[in-house]
Amino acid sequence: MRDILLCDLDAFFASVEQRDHPEYRGRPVIVGGDRNRGVVSTCSYAARRYGVHSAMPMGTALKLCPHAVVLPVAMARYKAVSRQIFAIFERYTPEIERVSIDEAYLALPCGQGIEAAQAIRRIVRAELDLPISIGISSNKLLAKMASELAKPDGLRAILPEDVPTVIWPLPVGKLPGVGPKTEKILQARGISTIGDLAAGNEDELARLLGVNGRELYRFAHGRDDRPLELAREPKSIGKEETFGRDIANPEELLAVLARLAGEVGYRLRRQGYTCLAVTLKLKRGDFTTYTRTRTLNTGTDDDGRLYQAAVELFHQSRVAPPWRLAGIQAAGLVKGFRQESLFAGSEEEKGEKLNKALDALREKYGRPVVRRAVTLKEKE
């Protein structure tokens, strides 16, 4: 038996900004993209009281809370703080599953969880001046739910025997794995609380929701045998961008895709991966989102092949303009494998040399100083 902790920094980006700028404390703070076209990355609890939440269009957020302090995402600074936080976690255990930049599961010997959680909260507050909520239980599911009940800036332990009194009265949408669509399906069947789900029939839930139905039935009873993933490999590497204005010219969009392909290719090579699938994401001006995926015959980390796949997907998708956002994602990642060319001086070999030269220039100057000609069609 182990004690599992879910440590979650509260409103992380906004909390870092309020720490570094005391004049923002107590005020509604929104961290995100452009005021008119961006989306909310994180917001303070003061902003949430107005109905603002993550992933909301910035324009909508400012209508709800027009007096909010709006700040750009300072990712380099947030990553630096995240490294400090994870260094604190490592003082207590090497068994850490990183969930995100500000969230992690920790495993400790049974009986040591509450004391460790109290110490972690004290240290994070004393050394970094940041709020953190921690949930403690015997598995990941209950630790996660405990952390949600502990927010903001609290600590909560849930034992398996607490499930009927603590978990079952909660709305079914509070159960991890129950999204908005699943919640509507369950509510249509009269299942409004987690207790209703637990009282249901597992086989009927499986017929209704497939494999997910059996998992949700186990979750409703507080059962979860998932281990901590201590060294997770990334499932994908991608780059997307919301434009400062809607784009209606296909040539300009293709120029953007060429630049994004270069970013994704560089990150693949830097991390030592090739990919076996490419996904194109497009969002229209009305916020309708389309994704299309192509499987490749061989793995690649080449900018040109990524761009070619994205262009083909764009023509096949026939998504009408105007476009608000575009993104390219490389999936099916394989570590350290590249299909070797059979012929010296081939296009593949030339492309590899070109990529190495571009990467060297980027690393020397900190940004891409040489661009492919197609990207010149992109307007500022």
Side-chain angles (χ1 to χ4, degrees):
M1 295 292 294
R2 314 281 284 174
D3 282 351
I4 306 299
L5 279 58
L6 191 281
C7 302
D8 189 2
L9 277 294
D10 297 317
F12 180 51
F13 295 176
S15 294
V16 172
E17 296 293 349
Q18 289 176 314
R19 180 199 68 177
D20 296 346
H21 303 277
E23 66 271 23
Y24 298 155
R25 294 194 176 188
R27 299 174 61 184
V29 173
I30 300 175
V31 179
D34 178 81
R35 279 177 168 267
N36 297 315
R37 306 185 56 78
V39 297
V40 176
S41 293
T42 310
C43 62
S44 66
Y45 280 87
R48 295 181 190 187
R49 287 195 287 270
Y50 290 88
V52 180
H53 58 77
S54 299
M56 173 181 284
M58 191 67 76
T60 303
L62 289 175
K63 288 179 181 178
L64 295 171
C65 188
H67 58 289
V69 177
V70 179
L71 301 170
V73 176
M75 188 56 69
R77 182 150 49 95
Y78 306 149
K79 286 183 178 179
V81 177
S82 176
R83 288 192 290 270
Q84 294 175 309
I85 292 164
F86 277 79
I88 292 173
F89 296 161
E90 290 168 359
R91 300 179 195 178
Y92 292 88
T93 178
E95 297 184 60
I96 301 172
E97 176 183 331
R98 184 186 183 100
V99 179
S100 66
I101 190 173
D102 62 347
E103 185 178 4
Y105 287 102
L106 281 61
L108 290 98
C110 187
Q112 297 183 14
I114 292 180
E115 184 178 354
Q118 292 171 337
I120 288 171
R121 292 190 69 247
R122 285 196 302 269
I123 293 172
V124 170
R125 177 61 76 178
E127 296 185 7
L128 302 178
D129 193 19
L130 290 172
I132 181 171
S133 295
I134 302 180
I136 310 152
S137 191
S138 57
N139 61 46
K140 291 167 66 173
L141 168 77
L142 294 179
K144 173 67 173 176
M145 299 190 74
S147 75
E148 292 298 322
L149 294 174
K151 290 180 178 294
D153 195 21
L155 184 151
R156 182 73 182 264
I158 296 179
L159 300 175
E161 53 264 34
D162 296 331
V163 169
T165 56
V166 177
I167 300 301
W168 285 357
L170 297 175
V172 71
K174 295 291 185 181
L175 188 68
V178 177
K181 292 183 180 179
T182 300
E183 184 177 11
K184 288 182 179 179
I185 293 173
L186 293 173
Q187 289 180 338
R189 298 297 182 97
I191 299 173
S192 59
T193 68
I194 297 176
D196 294 336
L197 188 63
N201 182 282
E202 182 178 356
D203 291 333
E204 290 182 4
L205 286 171
R207 285 192 289 271
L208 181 64
L209 302 173
V211 176
N212 190 44
R214 295 193 183 279
E215 181 177 73
L216 293 180
Y217 181 81
R218 292 194 297 272
F219 281 6
H221 286 272
R223 301 199 299 266
D224 179 17
D225 57 4
R226 293 173 299 164
L228 265 64
E229 300 177 25
L230 303 183
R232 292 195 306 172
E233 295 288 338
K235 296 181 179 180
S236 63
I237 292 175
K239 176 70 174 178
E240 64 180 44
E241 182 174 309
T242 299
F243 311 133
R245 54 175 177 76
D246 287 352
I247 291 178
N249 185 341
E251 288 190 352
E252 187 177 353
L253 180 67
L254 294 179
V256 173
L257 294 180
R259 178 168 54 80
L260 296 178
E263 293 282 346
V264 174
Y266 171 71
R267 291 174 58 190
L268 284 170
R269 295 187 293 274
R270 190 178 185 187
Q271 298 182 44
Y273 288 102
T274 59
C275 72
L276 293 168
V278 176
T279 297
L280 172 68
K281 178 180 178 180
L282 293 174
K283 182 181 289 186
R284 298 188 68 251
D286 60 2
F287 289 88
T288 306
T289 302
Y290 300 84
T291 58
R292 299 289 186 274
T293 300
R294 163 159 294 187
T295 301
L296 307 177
N297 293 328
T298 58
T300 188
D301 59 9
D302 177 62
D303 300 356
R305 286 193 65 193
L306 295 172
Y307 173 62
Q308 180 183 7
V311 170
E312 291 172 355
L313 289 168
F314 168 69
H315 289 307
Q316 291 173 6
S317 67
R318 298 181 180 178
V319 178
W323 304 288
R324 176 186 177 87
L325 172 148
I328 294 177
Q329 184 180 79
L333 304 185
V334 181
K335 191 77 171 180
F337 173 79
R338 182 182 291 104
Q339 184 74 29
E340 298 293 340
S341 173
L342 298 176
F343 305 100
S346 65
E347 290 301 318
E348 290 83 356
E349 186 176 359
K350 292 177 182 177
E352 183 177 344
K353 290 181 178 179
L354 175 60
N355 287 328
K356 286 182 178 179
L358 294 176
D359 291 349
L361 289 169
R362 181 195 295 260
E363 289 167 6
K364 180 177 180 179
Y365 294 101
R367 57 189 175 86
V369 294
V370 178
R371 297 166 55 183
R372 296 176 184 268
V374 66
T375 64
L376 297 176
K377 296 179 180 179
E378 181 182 358
K379 297 180 181 179
E380 294 296 335

PDB file of all heavy atoms in Angstrom, residues 309-336:
ATOM      1  N   ALA A 309       2.804  16.993 -45.871  1.00  0.00           N
ATOM      2  CA  ALA A 309       1.643  16.284 -45.323  1.00  0.00           C
ATOM      3  C   ALA A 309       0.557  17.274 -44.906  1.00  0.00           C
ATOM      4  O   ALA A 309      -0.637  17.055 -45.147  1.00  0.00           O
ATOM      5  CB  ALA A 309       2.064  15.427 -44.136  1.00  0.00           C
ATOM      6  N   ALA A 310       0.970  18.392 -44.295  1.00  0.00           N
ATOM      7  CA  ALA A 310      -0.004  19.395 -43.862  1.00  0.00           C
ATOM      8  C   ALA A 310      -0.717  20.026 -45.059  1.00  0.00           C
ATOM      9  O   ALA A 310      -1.933  20.262 -45.016  1.00  0.00           O
ATOM     10  CB  ALA A 310       0.693  20.469 -43.029  1.00  0.00           C
ATOM     11  N   VAL A 311       0.028  20.285 -46.131  1.00  0.00           N
ATOM     12  CA  VAL A 311      -0.575  20.879 -47.333  1.00  0.00           C
ATOM     13  C   VAL A 311      -1.595  19.922 -47.942  1.00  0.00           C
ATOM     14  O   VAL A 311      -2.707  20.329 -48.330  1.00  0.00           O
ATOM     15  CB  VAL A 311       0.519  21.235 -48.360  1.00  0.00           C
ATOM     16  CG1 VAL A 311      -0.110  21.626 -49.707  1.00  0.00           C
ATOM     17  CG2 VAL A 311       1.388  22.374 -47.839  1.00  0.00           C
ATOM     18  N   GLU A 312      -1.238  18.651 -48.024  1.00  0.00           N
ATOM     19  CA  GLU A 312      -2.164  17.669 -48.593  1.00  0.00           C
ATOM     20  C   GLU A 312      -3.428  17.573 -47.744  1.00  0.00           C
ATOM     21  O   GLU A 312      -4.545  17.482 -48.271  1.00  0.00           O
ATOM     22  CB  GLU A 312      -1.473  16.318 -48.702  1.00  0.00           C
ATOM     23  CG  GLU A 312      -0.357  16.301 -49.757  1.00  0.00           C
ATOM     24  CD  GLU A 312       0.454  15.022 -49.733  1.00  0.00           C
ATOM     25  OE1 GLU A 312       0.210  14.175 -48.830  1.00  0.00           O
ATOM     26  OE2 GLU A 312       1.338  14.857 -50.603  1.00  0.00           O
ATOM     27  N   LEU A 313      -3.266  17.595 -46.420  1.00  0.00           N
ATOM     28  CA  LEU A 313      -4.430  17.548 -45.539  1.00  0.00           C
ATOM     29  C   LEU A 313      -5.287  18.796 -45.695  1.00  0.00           C
ATOM     30  O   LEU A 313      -6.524  18.735 -45.643  1.00  0.00           O
ATOM     31  CB  LEU A 313      -3.968  17.401 -44.087  1.00  0.00           C
ATOM     32  CG  LEU A 313      -3.385  16.040 -43.713  1.00  0.00           C
ATOM     33  CD1 LEU A 313      -2.691  16.117 -42.353  1.00  0.00           C
ATOM     34  CD2 LEU A 313      -4.477  14.981 -43.683  1.00  0.00           C
ATOM     35  N   PHE A 314      -4.641  19.932 -45.894  1.00  0.00           N
ATOM     36  CA  PHE A 314      -5.383  21.188 -46.081  1.00  0.00           C
ATOM     37  C   PHE A 314      -6.253  21.112 -47.337  1.00  0.00           C
ATOM     38  O   PHE A 314      -7.440  21.460 -47.304  1.00  0.00           O
ATOM     39  CB  PHE A 314      -4.408  22.358 -46.183  1.00  0.00           C
ATOM     40  CG  PHE A 314      -5.038  23.629 -46.665  1.00  0.00           C
ATOM     41  CD1 PHE A 314      -5.945  24.306 -45.878  1.00  0.00           C
ATOM     42  CD2 PHE A 314      -4.733  24.130 -47.929  1.00  0.00           C
ATOM     43  CE1 PHE A 314      -6.535  25.484 -46.325  1.00  0.00           C
ATOM     44  CE2 PHE A 314      -5.318  25.304 -48.382  1.00  0.00           C
ATOM     45  CZ  PHE A 314      -6.227  25.981 -47.583  1.00  0.00           C
ATOM     46  N   HIS A 315      -5.677  20.635 -48.440  1.00  0.00           N
ATOM     47  CA  HIS A 315      -6.450  20.549 -49.682  1.00  0.00           C
ATOM     48  C   HIS A 315      -7.567  19.514 -49.574  1.00  0.00           C
ATOM     49  O   HIS A 315      -8.656  19.716 -50.119  1.00  0.00           O
ATOM     50  CB  HIS A 315      -5.522  20.215 -50.845  1.00  0.00           C
ATOM     51  CG  HIS A 315      -4.607  21.351 -51.229  1.00  0.00           C
ATOM     52  ND1 HIS A 315      -5.061  22.617 -51.519  1.00  0.00           N
ATOM     53  CD2 HIS A 315      -3.245  21.409 -51.360  1.00  0.00           C
ATOM     54  CE1 HIS A 315      -4.057  23.408 -51.821  1.00  0.00           C
ATOM     55  NE2 HIS A 315      -2.931  22.708 -51.730  1.00  0.00           N
ATOM     56  N   GLN A 316      -7.313  18.432 -48.856  1.00  0.00           N
ATOM     57  CA  GLN A 316      -8.337  17.403 -48.709  1.00  0.00           C
ATOM     58  C   GLN A 316      -9.484  17.861 -47.800  1.00  0.00           C
ATOM     59  O   GLN A 316     -10.638  17.496 -48.004  1.00  0.00           O
ATOM     60  CB  GLN A 316      -7.709  16.123 -48.135  1.00  0.00           C
ATOM     61  CG  GLN A 316      -6.763  15.415 -49.099  1.00  0.00           C
ATOM     62  CD  GLN A 316      -6.050  14.263 -48.431  1.00  0.00           C
ATOM     63  OE1 GLN A 316      -6.330  13.921 -47.288  1.00  0.00           O
ATOM     64  NE2 GLN A 316      -5.112  13.652 -49.146  1.00  0.00           N
ATOM     65  N   SER A 317      -9.145  18.654 -46.782  1.00  0.00           N
ATOM     66  CA  SER A 317     -10.157  19.048 -45.800  1.00  0.00           C
ATOM     67  C   SER A 317     -11.187  20.017 -46.380  1.00  0.00           C
ATOM     68  O   SER A 317     -12.347  20.017 -45.969  1.00  0.00           O
ATOM     69  CB  SER A 317      -9.483  19.687 -44.588  1.00  0.00           C
ATOM     70  OG  SER A 317      -8.888  20.926 -44.951  1.00  0.00           O
ATOM     71  N   ARG A 318     -10.726  20.873 -47.315  1.00  0.00           N
ATOM     72  CA  ARG A 318     -11.614  21.859 -47.935  1.00  0.00           C
ATOM     73  C   ARG A 318     -12.350  22.725 -46.904  1.00  0.00           C
ATOM     74  O   ARG A 318     -13.534  23.060 -47.063  1.00  0.00           O
ATOM     75  CB  ARG A 318     -12.629  21.167 -48.837  1.00  0.00           C
ATOM     76  CG  ARG A 318     -11.990  20.407 -50.001  1.00  0.00           C
ATOM     77  CD  ARG A 318     -13.026  19.759 -50.880  1.00  0.00           C
ATOM     78  NE  ARG A 318     -12.414  19.036 -51.980  1.00  0.00           N
ATOM     79  CZ  ARG A 318     -13.099  18.341 -52.895  1.00  0.00           C
ATOM     80  NH1 ARG A 318     -14.428  18.283 -52.811  1.00  0.00           N
ATOM     81  NH2 ARG A 318     -12.470  17.709 -53.867  1.00  0.00           N
ATOM     82  N   VAL A 319     -11.637  23.059 -45.837  1.00  0.00           N
ATOM     83  CA  VAL A 319     -12.214  23.942 -44.821  1.00  0.00           C
ATOM     84  C   VAL A 319     -12.212  25.360 -45.373  1.00  0.00           C
ATOM     85  O   VAL A 319     -11.154  25.919 -45.686  1.00  0.00           O
ATOM     86  CB  VAL A 319     -11.419  23.872 -43.510  1.00  0.00           C
ATOM     87  CG1 VAL A 319     -12.003  24.834 -42.476  1.00  0.00           C
ATOM     88  CG2 VAL A 319     -11.419  22.450 -42.970  1.00  0.00           C
ATOM     89  N   ALA A 320     -13.384  25.943 -45.475  1.00  0.00           N
ATOM     90  CA  ALA A 320     -13.522  27.257 -46.105  1.00  0.00           C
ATOM     91  C   ALA A 320     -12.966  28.361 -45.213  1.00  0.00           C
ATOM     92  O   ALA A 320     -13.015  28.265 -43.987  1.00  0.00           O
ATOM     93  CB  ALA A 320     -14.991  27.537 -46.408  1.00  0.00           C
ATOM     94  N   PRO A 321     -12.427  29.413 -45.822  1.00  0.00           N
ATOM     95  CA  PRO A 321     -11.965  30.551 -45.037  1.00  0.00           C
ATOM     96  C   PRO A 321     -13.168  31.334 -44.496  1.00  0.00           C
ATOM     97  O   PRO A 321     -14.303  31.098 -44.925  1.00  0.00           O
ATOM     98  CB  PRO A 321     -11.180  31.370 -46.065  1.00  0.00           C
ATOM     99  CG  PRO A 321     -11.781  31.001 -47.378  1.00  0.00           C
ATOM    100  CD  PRO A 321     -12.210  29.568 -47.253  1.00  0.00           C
ATOM    101  N   PRO A 322     -12.911  32.246 -43.545  1.00  0.00           N
ATOM    102  CA  PRO A 322     -11.606  32.643 -43.007  1.00  0.00           C
ATOM    103  C   PRO A 322     -11.151  31.690 -41.904  1.00  0.00           C
ATOM    104  O   PRO A 322     -11.963  31.026 -41.271  1.00  0.00           O
ATOM    105  CB  PRO A 322     -11.874  34.040 -42.450  1.00  0.00           C
ATOM    106  CG  PRO A 322     -13.306  33.976 -42.010  1.00  0.00           C
ATOM    107  CD  PRO A 322     -14.004  33.116 -43.019  1.00  0.00           C
ATOM    108  N   TRP A 323      -9.821  31.662 -41.690  1.00  0.00           N
ATOM    109  CA  TRP A 323      -9.235  30.803 -40.682  1.00  0.00           C
ATOM    110  C   TRP A 323      -8.700  31.641 -39.535  1.00  0.00           C
ATOM    111  O   TRP A 323      -8.012  32.638 -39.734  1.00  0.00           O
ATOM    112  CB  TRP A 323      -8.101  29.970 -41.288  1.00  0.00           C
ATOM    113  CG  TRP A 323      -8.572  29.171 -42.473  1.00  0.00           C
ATOM    114  CD1 TRP A 323      -9.378  28.086 -42.462  1.00  0.00           C
ATOM    115  CD2 TRP A 323      -8.272  29.429 -43.854  1.00  0.00           C
ATOM    116  NE1 TRP A 323      -9.604  27.635 -43.743  1.00  0.00           N
ATOM    117  CE2 TRP A 323      -8.938  28.443 -44.614  1.00  0.00           C
ATOM    118  CE3 TRP A 323      -7.502  30.387 -44.508  1.00  0.00           C
ATOM    119  CZ2 TRP A 323      -8.848  28.383 -46.002  1.00  0.00           C
ATOM    120  CZ3 TRP A 323      -7.419  30.339 -45.891  1.00  0.00           C
ATOM    121  CH2 TRP A 323      -8.079  29.346 -46.632  1.00  0.00           C
ATOM    122  N   ARG A 324      -9.008  31.197 -38.327  1.00  0.00           N
ATOM    123  CA  ARG A 324      -8.612  31.914 -37.113  1.00  0.00           C
ATOM    124  C   ARG A 324      -7.353  31.315 -36.476  1.00  0.00           C
ATOM    125  O   ARG A 324      -6.560  32.021 -35.860  1.00  0.00           O
ATOM    126  CB  ARG A 324      -9.765  31.857 -36.101  1.00  0.00           C
ATOM    127  CG  ARG A 324      -9.468  32.474 -34.763  1.00  0.00           C
ATOM    128  CD  ARG A 324     -10.622  32.241 -33.792  1.00  0.00           C
ATOM    129  NE  ARG A 324     -10.318  32.780 -32.471  1.00  0.00           N
ATOM    130  CZ  ARG A 324     -10.552  34.018 -32.099  1.00  0.00           C
ATOM    131  NH1 ARG A 324     -11.104  34.862 -32.955  1.00  0.00           N
ATOM    132  NH2 ARG A 324     -10.246  34.443 -30.887  1.00  0.00           N
ATOM    133  N   LEU A 325      -7.195  30.014 -36.634  1.00  0.00           N
ATOM    134  CA  LEU A 325      -6.084  29.291 -35.998  1.00  0.00           C
ATOM    135  C   LEU A 325      -5.637  28.168 -36.901  1.00  0.00           C
ATOM    136  O   LEU A 325      -6.443  27.570 -37.624  1.00  0.00           O
ATOM    137  CB  LEU A 325      -6.528  28.738 -34.640  1.00  0.00           C
ATOM    138  CG  LEU A 325      -5.589  27.796 -33.881  1.00  0.00           C
ATOM    139  CD1 LEU A 325      -5.775  27.976 -32.374  1.00  0.00           C
ATOM    140  CD2 LEU A 325      -5.831  26.320 -34.246  1.00  0.00           C
ATOM    141  N   ALA A 326      -4.348  27.866 -36.872  1.00  0.00           N
ATOM    142  CA  ALA A 326      -3.803  26.706 -37.572  1.00  0.00           C
ATOM    143  C   ALA A 326      -2.786  26.019 -36.680  1.00  0.00           C
ATOM    144  O   ALA A 326      -2.106  26.663 -35.875  1.00  0.00           O
ATOM    145  CB  ALA A 326      -3.150  27.114 -38.890  1.00  0.00           C
ATOM    146  N   GLY A 327      -2.698  24.704 -36.806  1.00  0.00           N
ATOM    147  CA  GLY A 327      -1.730  23.962 -36.003  1.00  0.00           C
ATOM    148  C   GLY A 327      -1.288  22.698 -36.717  1.00  0.00           C
ATOM    149  O   GLY A 327      -2.020  22.143 -37.545  1.00  0.00           O
ATOM    150  N   ILE A 328      -0.078  22.260 -36.413  1.00  0.00           N
ATOM    151  CA  ILE A 328       0.468  21.002 -36.934  1.00  0.00           C
ATOM    152  C   ILE A 328       0.945  20.183 -35.737  1.00  0.00           C
ATOM    153  O   ILE A 328       1.650  20.700 -34.866  1.00  0.00           O
ATOM    154  CB  ILE A 328       1.632  21.233 -37.907  1.00  0.00           C
ATOM    155  CG1 ILE A 328       1.140  21.946 -39.166  1.00  0.00           C
ATOM    156  CG2 ILE A 328       2.298  19.914 -38.286  1.00  0.00           C
ATOM    157  CD1 ILE A 328       2.249  22.286 -40.150  1.00  0.00           C
ATOM    158  N   GLN A 329       0.567  18.922 -35.714  1.00  0.00           N
ATOM    159  CA  GLN A 329       0.964  18.030 -34.623  1.00  0.00           C
ATOM    160  C   GLN A 329       1.588  16.774 -35.201  1.00  0.00           C
ATOM    161  O   GLN A 329       1.043  16.160 -36.124  1.00  0.00           O
ATOM    162  CB  GLN A 329      -0.237  17.667 -33.761  1.00  0.00           C
ATOM    163  CG  GLN A 329       0.101  16.812 -32.541  1.00  0.00           C
ATOM    164  CD  GLN A 329      -1.137  16.482 -31.742  1.00  0.00           C
ATOM    165  OE1 GLN A 329      -1.914  15.593 -32.099  1.00  0.00           O
ATOM    166  NE2 GLN A 329      -1.350  17.203 -30.651  1.00  0.00           N
ATOM    167  N   ALA A 330       2.763  16.396 -34.660  1.00  0.00           N
ATOM    168  CA  ALA A 330       3.436  15.157 -35.043  1.00  0.00           C
ATOM    169  C   ALA A 330       3.148  14.112 -33.974  1.00  0.00           C
ATOM    170  O   ALA A 330       3.385  14.345 -32.786  1.00  0.00           O
ATOM    171  CB  ALA A 330       4.934  15.388 -35.169  1.00  0.00           C
ATOM    172  N   ALA A 331       2.620  12.964 -34.373  1.00  0.00           N
ATOM    173  CA  ALA A 331       2.268  11.895 -33.431  1.00  0.00           C
ATOM    174  C   ALA A 331       2.910  10.584 -33.885  1.00  0.00           C
ATOM    175  O   ALA A 331       3.595  10.533 -34.895  1.00  0.00           O
ATOM    176  CB  ALA A 331       0.755  11.765 -33.318  1.00  0.00           C
ATOM    177  N   GLY A 332       2.653   9.530 -33.124  1.00  0.00           N
ATOM    178  CA  GLY A 332       3.298   8.255 -33.414  1.00  0.00           C
ATOM    179  C   GLY A 332       4.807   8.387 -33.282  1.00  0.00           C
ATOM    180  O   GLY A 332       5.562   7.987 -34.168  1.00  0.00           O
ATOM    181  N   LEU A 333       5.257   8.941 -32.167  1.00  0.00           N
ATOM    182  CA  LEU A 333       6.667   9.276 -32.002  1.00  0.00           C
ATOM    183  C   LEU A 333       7.515   8.034 -31.752  1.00  0.00           C
ATOM    184  O   LEU A 333       7.132   7.140 -30.997  1.00  0.00           O
ATOM    185  CB  LEU A 333       6.843  10.262 -30.852  1.00  0.00           C
ATOM    186  CG  LEU A 333       6.037  11.563 -30.942  1.00  0.00           C
ATOM    187  CD1 LEU A 333       6.410  12.482 -29.790  1.00  0.00           C
ATOM    188  CD2 LEU A 333       6.268  12.254 -32.269  1.00  0.00           C
ATOM    189  N   VAL A 334       8.678   8.006 -32.392  1.00  0.00           N
ATOM    190  CA  VAL A 334       9.644   6.920 -32.225  1.00  0.00           C
ATOM    191  C   VAL A 334      10.976   7.549 -31.863  1.00  0.00           C
ATOM    192  O   VAL A 334      11.439   8.477 -32.537  1.00  0.00           O
ATOM    193  CB  VAL A 334       9.783   6.077 -33.507  1.00  0.00           C
ATOM    194  CG1 VAL A 334      10.781   4.939 -33.285  1.00  0.00           C
ATOM    195  CG2 VAL A 334       8.428   5.528 -33.928  1.00  0.00           C
ATOM    196  N   LYS A 335      11.590   7.052 -30.805  1.00  0.00           N
ATOM    197  CA  LYS A 335      12.837   7.634 -30.327  1.00  0.00           C
ATOM    198  C   LYS A 335      14.016   7.112 -31.142  1.00  0.00           C
ATOM    199  O   LYS A 335      14.197   5.910 -31.316  1.00  0.00           O
ATOM    200  CB  LYS A 335      13.049   7.274 -28.856  1.00  0.00           C
ATOM    201  CG  LYS A 335      14.168   8.040 -28.166  1.00  0.00           C
ATOM    202  CD  LYS A 335      13.747   9.443 -27.809  1.00  0.00           C
ATOM    203  CE  LYS A 335      14.771  10.148 -26.929  1.00  0.00           C
ATOM    204  NZ  LYS A 335      14.384  11.506 -26.573  1.00  0.00           N
ATOM    205  N   GLY A 336      14.823   8.058 -31.646  1.00  0.00           N
ATOM    206  CA  GLY A 336      16.110   7.709 -32.240  1.00  0.00           C
ATOM    207  C   GLY A 336      16.053   6.875 -33.496  1.00  0.00           C
ATOM    208  O   GLY A 336      16.988   6.145 -33.809  1.00  0.00           O
TER     209      GLY A 336
END
